[in-house]
Amino acid sequence: MKKSIRAIVTLALAFAAFSHSAFAVVYPLPAKNSRVIGENLEITVPQDSKLPLEAFAAQYQMGLSNLLEANPGVDVYLPQPGSKLVIPHQLILPDAPREGIIINSAEMRLYYYPKGTNTVVVLPIGIGELGKDTPMNWTTTVQRKKDGPTWTPTKKMHEEYAARGEKLLDTYPAGPDNPMGLYALYVGRLYAIHGTNANFGIGLRVSHGCVRLRADDIKWLFDNVPTGTRVQFINQPVKASVEPDGSRYVEIHNPLSQTEEQFNSREPMPITITPVVSKVMVDASVNQSEVDAALKARSGMPTKINGLIENGEAAPVVVPEAEGAQPQEQPLSPAVPQGVNAAPVDNQTVPASAPQPVDEPATSDSQS
């Protein structure tokens, strides 16, 4: 049954490859004692391709970081024509309640569990840059939604840009040129999940703390996520699962750098193994060489670490080339950084455990 469910998901993901317009990737939820979902795909970069990696990421509902982890050495600006790209659509669900929205900054993905559907929607995101981090240990709710948000840069932002000889508008009105995009979901008082007016930055640390999505994805969330929905921010670079058949899997992402020194260093970030993950890794059936290989590779894909192991990671499903299967080139949009600048919502106060805002509050709909 489990294999048949994954086969259905694979067909759905392959169908997405043949669509010119991206849409939410929806997975059926596994049993409560299972957390591995989906299947990886493999595509061939067309021989005449002149597209950047971002075009393939957008077509297959990926962030840049997801493709870079799964395809080490790939050229971000021009993936080699004729080469293979692995699309990491197989995932381990985060160690968090299957409820509402879960935002895992470490893997730059948003998980949404619609009530009463037994499904999970997975979307790639952009997060806060170093020093302006997206929350990583906070639970809140969607306070309100806005069709056509405006954006007012803070005084600090004006000073930062003036120092570089650049100038920001006092207020960016609602519309296609707004850095927050066309839709926003405000969480707590100081942060938002919103769109963007630039077709890049998903899977990167680019915002002033908010969560950024591509235009189609934020529209989908705006239409489907009700106000009051639970939102949990987490930071889980390592996920692990023991499946019903006894198979043990780990999924390892590059941890986020926390200092300028770490950010600029070529040395890999150290990985911390939590007690939850350790319980999966410490077992007589586990092949330690597979664990070591997974820790070194940091592929961002589930890797089997016990029992009969062929290639560690499951072989991806090959997506055949077909007319309309490849991404379409989109004109580049100008980049305007964003920050968090939300007006108070119903006089709510931020809980003491919530992160402090990275910019001064302003009287606009939000920062980013």
Side-chain angles (χ1 to χ4, degrees):
M1 175 61 72
K2 186 174 182 180
K3 288 186 177 180
S4 65
I5 290 176
R6 289 187 184 174
I8 293 171
V9 175
T10 299
L11 289 174
L13 296 175
F15 175 76
F18 303 134
S19 170
H20 287 313
S21 59
F23 57 87
V25 178
V26 183
Y27 297 85
L29 281 179
K32 291 183 178 180
N33 61 343
S34 171
R35 290 170 57 196
V36 178
I37 60 175
E39 296 283 357
N40 296 324
L41 306 179
E42 182 184 272
I43 66 170
T44 300
V45 178
Q47 291 292 345
D48 59 349
S49 175
K50 297 181 180 179
L51 297 177
L53 190 62
E54 162 59 26
F56 295 91
Q59 182 72 5
Y60 289 91
Q61 285 295 79
M62 291 282 110
L64 271 178
S65 62
N66 304 134
L67 287 188
L68 289 170
E69 287 180 333
N71 300 275
V74 65
D75 191 325
V76 175
Y77 300 102
L78 181 63
Q80 183 178 354
S83 65
K84 306 293 185 182
L85 280 181
V86 175
I87 310 298
H89 271 307
Q90 187 177 61
L91 315 166
I92 295 177
L93 293 176
D95 182 23
R98 299 181 184 183
E99 177 186 356
I101 290 174
I102 307 295
I103 294 168
N104 188 5
S105 291
E107 63 174 315
M108 300 198 197
R109 286 190 177 112
L110 179 153
Y111 294 79
Y112 173 50
Y113 298 89
K115 281 187 177 181
T117 66
N118 203 39
T119 62
V120 60
V121 178
V122 183
L123 299 170
I125 60 173
I127 62 172
E129 58 187 276
L130 183 66
K132 303 178 178 67
D133 300 285
T134 297
M136 295 184 186
N137 183 23
W138 184 34
T139 300
T140 181
T141 61
V142 175
Q143 297 295 312
R144 61 188 177 105
K145 303 193 296 183
K146 179 69 173 178
D147 180 346
T150 60
W151 179 55
T152 301
T154 63
K155 179 181 178 181
K156 183 178 179 181
M157 291 177 192
H158 282 288
E159 292 172 349
E160 289 176 356
Y161 280 80
R164 299 202 300 259
E166 301 175 32
K167 181 176 176 60
L168 293 175
L169 299 179
D170 290 337
T171 299
Y172 287 80
D177 295 327
N178 190 301
M180 290 190 65
L182 299 177
Y183 303 93
L185 282 66
Y186 295 95
V187 293
R189 288 179 53 217
L190 301 166
Y191 294 91
I193 301 169
H194 62 74
T196 177
N197 67 335
N199 62 341
F200 58 90
I202 305 305
L204 299 176
R205 301 175 75 171
V206 290
S207 78
H208 276 66
C210 286
V211 175
R212 177 189 293 188
L213 291 95
R214 295 189 179 101
D216 289 344
D217 294 345
I218 188 60
K219 176 65 163 61
W220 191 92
L221 284 181
F222 183 87
D223 290 342
N224 290 277
V225 175
T227 301
T229 296
R230 180 182 186 272
V231 180
Q232 182 177 356
F233 291 84
I234 62 175
N235 180 31
Q236 293 180 11
V238 182
K239 300 182 291 182
S241 177
V242 180
E243 292 299 287
D245 65 358
S247 297
R248 292 171 182 258
Y249 290 87
V250 294
E251 177 184 325
I252 302 174
H253 299 264
N254 285 303
L256 298 173
S257 53
Q258 299 175 8
T259 66
E260 285 286 348
E261 182 180 3
Q262 291 174 340
F263 184 80
N264 294 321
S265 174
R266 293 187 177 183
E267 294 298 318
M269 280 284 294
I271 291 176
T272 300
I273 303 300
T274 65
V276 171
V277 173
S278 180
K279 286 182 180 179
V280 177
M281 289 184 170
V282 180
D283 185 82
S285 69
V286 170
N287 185 327
Q288 189 58 46
S289 64
E290 293 296 331
V291 173
D292 295 341
L295 289 169
K296 181 179 179 180
R298 306 182 183 196
S299 69
M301 297 182 286
T303 301
K304 189 178 180 183
I305 57 173
N306 74 330
L308 179 62
I309 299 173
E310 296 179 357
N311 295 313
E313 294 163 0
V317 177
V318 177
V319 178
E321 292 188 48
E323 184 178 356
Q326 299 303 328
Q328 304 300 299
E329 187 167 14
Q330 300 293 329
L332 288 177
S333 304
V336 180
Q338 309 158 12
V340 183
N341 204 6
V345 180
D346 297 332
N347 296 318
Q348 178 194 346
T349 57
V350 178
S353 59
Q356 295 301 308
V358 294
D359 296 297
E360 301 172 16
T363 55
S364 69
D365 281 325
S366 174
Q367 347 183 134
S368 145

Short mmCIF file of all heavy atoms in Angstrom, two decimals, residues 126-128 132-135 180 190-194 207-212 338-341 366-368:
data_model
loop_
_atom_site.label_atom_id
_atom_site.label_comp_id
_atom_site.label_asym_id
_atom_site.label_seq_id
_atom_site.Cartn_x
_atom_site.Cartn_y
_atom_site.Cartn_z
N GLY A 126 11.91 31.50 0.88
CA GLY A 126 13.09 32.28 1.19
C GLY A 126 12.95 32.78 2.62
O GLY A 126 11.83 33.01 3.10
N ILE A 127 14.07 32.93 3.33
CA ILE A 127 14.02 33.31 4.74
C ILE A 127 14.92 34.51 5.00
O ILE A 127 15.55 35.04 4.10
CB ILE A 127 14.41 32.13 5.65
CG1 ILE A 127 15.87 31.70 5.37
CG2 ILE A 127 13.46 30.95 5.44
CD1 ILE A 127 16.41 30.67 6.34
N GLY A 128 15.00 34.91 6.27
CA GLY A 128 15.76 36.09 6.65
C GLY A 128 17.26 35.91 6.48
O GLY A 128 17.80 34.84 6.74
N LYS A 132 19.24 39.05 10.40
CA LYS A 132 17.82 39.44 10.30
C LYS A 132 17.00 38.16 10.15
O LYS A 132 16.16 38.04 9.26
CB LYS A 132 17.60 40.38 9.12
CG LYS A 132 18.45 41.66 9.16
CD LYS A 132 18.20 42.51 7.93
CE LYS A 132 19.01 43.80 7.96
NZ LYS A 132 20.47 43.57 7.85
N ASP A 133 17.28 37.23 11.04
CA ASP A 133 16.81 35.87 10.86
C ASP A 133 15.30 35.71 11.01
O ASP A 133 14.66 36.39 11.83
CB ASP A 133 17.50 34.95 11.87
CG ASP A 133 19.01 34.95 11.69
OD1 ASP A 133 19.48 34.33 10.73
OD2 ASP A 133 19.71 35.59 12.51
N THR A 134 14.76 34.78 10.24
CA THR A 134 13.40 34.32 10.42
C THR A 134 13.33 33.59 11.77
O THR A 134 14.29 32.92 12.15
CB THR A 134 13.01 33.37 9.28
OG1 THR A 134 13.04 34.09 8.04
CG2 THR A 134 11.62 32.78 9.48
N PRO A 135 12.23 33.71 12.52
CA PRO A 135 12.13 32.97 13.78
C PRO A 135 12.41 31.49 13.59
O PRO A 135 12.08 30.92 12.55
CB PRO A 135 10.67 33.21 14.20
CG PRO A 135 10.31 34.51 13.55
CD PRO A 135 11.04 34.53 12.24
N MET A 180 6.60 43.03 -1.36
CA MET A 180 5.88 41.98 -0.61
C MET A 180 4.97 41.15 -1.50
O MET A 180 4.30 40.24 -1.02
CB MET A 180 5.05 42.60 0.51
CG MET A 180 5.90 43.15 1.64
SD MET A 180 4.91 43.61 3.07
CE MET A 180 4.28 42.01 3.57
N LEU A 190 4.81 40.93 14.09
CA LEU A 190 5.98 41.51 13.44
C LEU A 190 6.48 40.77 12.22
O LEU A 190 7.46 41.20 11.61
CB LEU A 190 7.11 41.62 14.47
CG LEU A 190 6.78 42.48 15.69
CD1 LEU A 190 7.81 42.25 16.78
CD2 LEU A 190 6.74 43.95 15.31
N TYR A 191 5.86 39.67 11.87
CA TYR A 191 6.33 38.89 10.74
C TYR A 191 5.18 38.54 9.81
O TYR A 191 4.01 38.54 10.20
CB TYR A 191 7.01 37.60 11.23
CG TYR A 191 8.27 37.86 12.01
CD1 TYR A 191 8.23 38.01 13.40
CD2 TYR A 191 9.50 37.98 11.37
CE1 TYR A 191 9.38 38.26 14.13
CE2 TYR A 191 10.66 38.24 12.10
CZ TYR A 191 10.59 38.38 13.47
OH TYR A 191 11.73 38.64 14.18
N ALA A 192 5.55 38.22 8.56
CA ALA A 192 4.54 37.87 7.57
C ALA A 192 5.05 36.76 6.67
O ALA A 192 6.26 36.58 6.48
CB ALA A 192 4.16 39.09 6.74
N ILE A 193 4.12 36.01 6.13
CA ILE A 193 4.38 35.07 5.04
C ILE A 193 3.81 35.76 3.80
O ILE A 193 2.61 36.05 3.76
CB ILE A 193 3.67 33.73 5.29
CG1 ILE A 193 4.15 33.11 6.61
CG2 ILE A 193 3.88 32.77 4.13
CD1 ILE A 193 3.31 31.92 7.07
N HIS A 194 4.63 36.04 2.83
CA HIS A 194 4.15 36.88 1.72
C HIS A 194 4.84 36.53 0.42
O HIS A 194 5.75 35.67 0.36
CB HIS A 194 4.36 38.36 2.05
CG HIS A 194 5.80 38.75 2.24
ND1 HIS A 194 6.69 38.88 1.20
CD2 HIS A 194 6.52 39.03 3.37
CE1 HIS A 194 7.88 39.22 1.66
NE2 HIS A 194 7.81 39.31 2.98
N SER A 207 15.48 37.87 2.99
CA SER A 207 14.53 38.83 3.54
C SER A 207 15.06 39.46 4.82
O SER A 207 16.15 39.15 5.29
CB SER A 207 13.18 38.16 3.81
OG SER A 207 13.22 37.40 5.01
N HIS A 208 14.25 40.34 5.40
CA HIS A 208 14.58 40.95 6.69
C HIS A 208 13.88 40.21 7.83
O HIS A 208 13.61 40.77 8.87
CB HIS A 208 14.19 42.43 6.71
CG HIS A 208 15.22 43.33 6.11
ND1 HIS A 208 15.56 43.30 4.78
CD2 HIS A 208 16.01 44.28 6.67
CE1 HIS A 208 16.49 44.21 4.54
NE2 HIS A 208 16.80 44.80 5.68
N GLY A 209 13.57 38.95 7.61
CA GLY A 209 12.98 38.14 8.66
C GLY A 209 11.70 37.43 8.27
O GLY A 209 11.34 36.42 8.87
N CYS A 210 11.00 37.96 7.28
CA CYS A 210 9.74 37.34 6.86
C CYS A 210 10.00 36.11 5.99
O CYS A 210 11.12 35.82 5.60
CB CYS A 210 8.88 38.34 6.10
SG CYS A 210 8.12 39.59 7.16
N VAL A 211 8.93 35.40 5.70
CA VAL A 211 8.99 34.20 4.87
C VAL A 211 8.48 34.56 3.47
O VAL A 211 7.36 35.05 3.32
CB VAL A 211 8.12 33.07 5.47
CG1 VAL A 211 8.08 31.86 4.54
CG2 VAL A 211 8.67 32.67 6.84
N ARG A 212 9.30 34.34 2.47
CA ARG A 212 8.98 34.75 1.09
C ARG A 212 8.63 33.53 0.25
O ARG A 212 9.30 32.50 0.32
CB ARG A 212 10.20 35.46 0.49
CG ARG A 212 10.03 35.87 -0.96
CD ARG A 212 11.33 36.37 -1.56
NE ARG A 212 11.78 37.62 -0.96
CZ ARG A 212 12.81 38.33 -1.44
NH1 ARG A 212 13.47 37.90 -2.49
NH2 ARG A 212 13.15 39.45 -0.85
N GLN A 338 13.42 43.29 1.70
CA GLN A 338 12.22 43.50 2.47
C GLN A 338 12.50 43.25 3.94
O GLN A 338 13.42 42.55 4.30
CB GLN A 338 11.12 42.54 1.99
CG GLN A 338 10.93 42.60 0.49
CD GLN A 338 10.29 41.35 -0.04
OE1 GLN A 338 9.79 40.54 0.71
NE2 GLN A 338 10.30 41.19 -1.33
N GLY A 339 11.68 43.79 4.79
CA GLY A 339 11.86 43.60 6.22
C GLY A 339 10.54 43.44 6.92
O GLY A 339 9.51 43.45 6.28
N VAL A 340 10.51 43.34 8.21
CA VAL A 340 9.27 43.12 8.93
C VAL A 340 8.83 44.40 9.58
O VAL A 340 9.54 44.94 10.36
CB VAL A 340 9.46 42.08 10.02
CG1 VAL A 340 8.16 41.80 10.71
CG2 VAL A 340 10.02 40.83 9.43
N ASN A 341 7.64 44.81 9.29
CA ASN A 341 7.26 46.18 9.59
C ASN A 341 5.78 46.25 9.87
O ASN A 341 5.13 47.17 9.45
CB ASN A 341 7.60 46.96 8.33
CG ASN A 341 7.83 48.40 8.57
OD1 ASN A 341 7.85 48.83 9.69
ND2 ASN A 341 8.01 49.12 7.50
N SER A 366 3.20 45.76 6.52
CA SER A 366 4.24 44.84 6.98
C SER A 366 5.59 45.19 6.43
O SER A 366 5.72 45.92 5.48
CB SER A 366 3.90 43.41 6.54
OG SER A 366 4.93 42.54 6.84
N GLN A 367 6.61 44.59 7.04
CA GLN A 367 7.92 44.56 6.40
C GLN A 367 8.03 43.24 5.69
O GLN A 367 7.07 42.61 5.40
CB GLN A 367 9.08 44.64 7.39
CG GLN A 367 8.78 45.02 8.69
CD GLN A 367 9.99 45.14 9.56
OE1 GLN A 367 10.06 46.07 10.22
NE2 GLN A 367 10.87 44.23 9.61
N SER A 368 9.20 42.79 5.42
CA SER A 368 9.30 41.49 4.83
C SER A 368 10.51 40.77 5.31
O SER A 368 11.59 41.11 5.14
CB SER A 368 9.34 41.60 3.36
OG SER A 368 10.14 40.68 2.80
#
